[in-house]
Amino acid sequence: MDPLNILVISLAALVAGAINALAGGGSFLTLPALVFTGVPPVAANATGTAALLPGYLASAWSYRDLIRSPGIGLSVTAVVVLGTLGGALGATLLLFTSNEAFRVIVPWLLLFATLLFAFGPRIHALLSRRASAGRGGFWGKLGIVGVCGYGGYFNGGMGIVMLAMFRLLGVKDLNVANGLKNLLSAVLTLIAVLIYAAGGVISWPETVPMAIAATLGGIAGAWIGRAIPPQLLRNGIVVVGAVTTVLFFLDI
């Protein structure tokens, strides 16, 4: 690998790991950085997801005391099973997506993720007012599979989508919703990475330095979060997402 390329993707992963620890949205940086250095779009998506996996696992572990039944008629085990199914379906779908098709799809996915990130707090506030417990029936289960399918296919904005889903299903305790979100993110990302690896779409030379950088960024994020106002950080991520989206649209 070219030393400059290693530097670019490592810096992207370092910052991505930090902002994932703070607010999410790290894939806004890792995906374009990998594409910029010459990695095909499908491989870039899979490689970025693999690089950020340690951070998802660490987040799930740190929230282990808050992982409990969502109180919507589903046990934690059922949520994990549904999440595993969705993640596997999404990752498998990515394997059957050509680079040409994914290059056309990804700007729309980035736009969707950016808008979700921008309006996430308002969405959560609205859903928390309208949520009612016990929505874990067929449509609730289908919702979990669908959201995790999105996460297995495209990682961007996954945490925001999950939180919105749990609020819509009636999970009123935000800490429980966050714990379940971190658990599902780790589970579906692990499953997705295993499927990506089996399909041969992960570029391992880029994954190793990015994973190390993202882990260090995640550790640093805990310290940085004490100094940066949350709203300022969120606005900055929205700007990055918007710029990335425009650049990908211009590249079609």
Side-chain angles (χ1 to χ4, degrees):
M1 287 181 59
D2 184 276
L4 179 60
N5 287 350
I6 295 176
L7 178 62
V8 169
I9 62 175
S10 296
L11 285 175
L14 181 71
V15 179
I19 65 175
N20 269 351
L22 294 166
S27 56
F28 287 138
L29 294 174
T30 55
L31 178 60
L34 284 162
V35 172
F36 173 77
T37 56
V39 180
V42 170
N45 186 54
T47 301
T49 300
L52 295 175
L53 175 59
Y56 286 121
L57 294 173
S59 294
W61 177 255
S62 67
Y63 272 78
R64 63 190 182 278
D65 59 323
L66 292 173
I67 297 172
R68 61 190 69 140
S69 171
I72 55 174
L74 293 172
S75 66
V76 174
T77 300
V79 171
V80 169
V81 170
L82 293 169
T84 300
L85 175 61
L89 290 173
T92 302
L93 179 61
L94 182 68
L95 296 183
F96 287 95
T97 305
S98 68
N99 283 303
E100 292 74 18
F102 193 71
R103 186 176 290 275
V104 173
I105 295 170
V106 75
W108 296 99
L109 293 172
L110 284 169
L111 177 62
F112 173 68
T114 301
L115 291 174
L116 269 178
F117 204 92
F119 297 103
R122 295 181 185 178
I123 294 172
H124 293 160
L126 177 64
L127 293 179
S128 64
R129 291 196 298 269
R130 295 190 175 184
S132 61
R135 295 184 179 176
F138 172 78
W139 293 110
K141 294 173 183 176
L142 186 62
I144 294 174
V145 172
V147 167
C148 291
Y150 168 82
Y153 186 79
F154 181 70
N155 202 257
M158 176 177 65
I160 299 167
V161 178
M162 281 189 187
L163 277 179
M165 174 198 65
F166 280 124
R167 301 293 270 181
L168 183 61
L169 290 178
V171 180
K172 297 185 177 181
D173 189 328
L174 185 57
N175 288 325
V176 172
N178 218 11
L180 289 168
K181 180 262 293 182
N182 286 336
L183 174 64
L184 272 186
S185 296
V187 168
L188 77 85
T189 302
L190 176 60
I191 295 300
V193 168
L194 290 174
I195 292 174
Y196 296 158
V201 294
I202 295 177
S203 183
W204 293 109
E206 287 85 1
T207 301
V208 175
M210 289 183 74
I212 295 172
T215 302
L216 293 175
I219 295 172
W223 295 92
I224 296 172
R226 301 173 185 271
I228 299 179
Q231 189 57 46
L232 179 62
L233 176 67
R234 177 172 290 277
N235 291 342
I237 295 172
V238 170
V239 170
V240 171
V243 172
T244 301
T245 300
V246 170
L247 291 176
F248 269 85
F249 269 116
L250 293 176
D251 191 48
I252 292 180

